[in-house]
Amino acid sequence: MTSPTTPALPTAPAPAPASDTAPGLLAALAPLLAAESDAEAPAAGVEPGDLEQAVWLRLLEQLQETGAAPERPAEWLRRAVRAEARRARRTTDRERPYRDEPAHEPGGAEPHGSPEHSLMAAEGRRTLRAAVTRTPGRCPRVLTAMLDPQDHTYREIAGELGISQGSLGPMRSRCLGCLRRMLAAEVPAPGRRGRVR
């Protein structure tokens, strides 16, 4: 008499080697990583591309060490971007000038014709103009008119924008507040003290 055979249980497929997983995983995560890096980089004081590179390196190290992709790749990537941004902020806070290089005080006098001064002034103008274009509603037009080198009067600006002169002041205040908050998130405050968490 033959004994009944037990049906074979389905087996989970063997995990693909890391070398097979990496290209597909990198391609799938690239847009998310670019977006997360663009969001975190300004506050960390680094370029988004540098942040992306650091996270790719961490992912490849994990693939090599464990031989498998993270269980939830998107969540892992978000955590990795934030961790690398914190690391970049800590590094920036610890950086000091060389002994032979004079430290620049924020309010200190620096020759206006120096390349450093010209570069910093141009960078400040570029950052300001870029932030103005990202403000909501009518703010880009209001702030652009306010920043015009011809220094228009309130009456001229209100006429150009097609609004009453009385409403220009409150609108200007709201737009400047919005711009201030945006720039505070992008530009680290000079001489920050304390631990970064």
Side-chain angles (χ1 to χ4, degrees):
M1 182 170 176
T2 59
S3 63
T5 58
T6 57
L9 295 173
T11 57
S19 59
D20 296 343
T21 310
L25 185 62
L26 298 182
L29 293 178
L32 177 62
L33 178 58
E36 291 287 329
S37 298
D38 285 344
E40 293 289 334
V46 295
E47 293 294 319
D50 294 340
L51 204 51
E52 285 183 49
Q53 240 179 350
V55 174
W56 282 140
L57 183 60
R58 285 184 67 182
L59 178 60
L60 292 174
E61 285 171 350
Q62 176 163 342
L63 288 172
Q64 187 176 12
E65 286 173 15
T66 63
E71 202 171 301
R72 292 196 261 303
E75 288 179 26
W76 179 91
L77 184 128
R78 287 187 183 98
R79 285 194 310 271
V81 170
R82 285 171 182 77
E84 287 300 326
R86 284 193 303 273
R87 184 180 308 184
R89 273 194 299 272
R90 285 194 301 270
T91 302
T92 302
D93 287 345
R94 291 183 187 132
E95 286 179 347
R96 299 290 177 257
Y98 289 114
R99 291 180 190 202
D100 297 339
E101 181 182 332
H104 172 65
E105 296 297 325
E110 189 174 289
H112 287 290
S114 72
E116 292 86 2
H117 183 272
S118 300
L119 178 67
M120 294 304 290
E123 179 66 17
R125 286 191 299 273
R126 186 196 63 74
T127 302
L128 178 63
R129 296 280 180 190
V132 164
T133 61
R134 294 192 316 269
T135 54
R138 291 184 176 176
C139 288
R141 291 186 64 207
V142 171
L143 295 171
T144 300
M146 294 286 183
L147 291 170
D148 192 321
Q150 294 180 5
D151 198 21
H152 296 290
T153 64
Y154 264 38
R155 177 179 290 164
E156 292 169 334
I157 294 171
E160 182 184 328
L161 297 175
I163 59 175
S164 69
Q165 189 175 341
S167 63
L168 181 58
M171 186 182 293
R172 171 188 167 271
S173 295
R174 284 193 303 273
C175 293
L176 286 173
C178 180
L179 182 64
R180 189 176 301 116
R181 286 188 298 276
M182 288 172 66
L183 290 173
E186 293 178 15
V187 180
R192 240 173 45 209
R193 302 198 189 294
R195 293 175 59 190
V196 176
R197 296 176 188 221

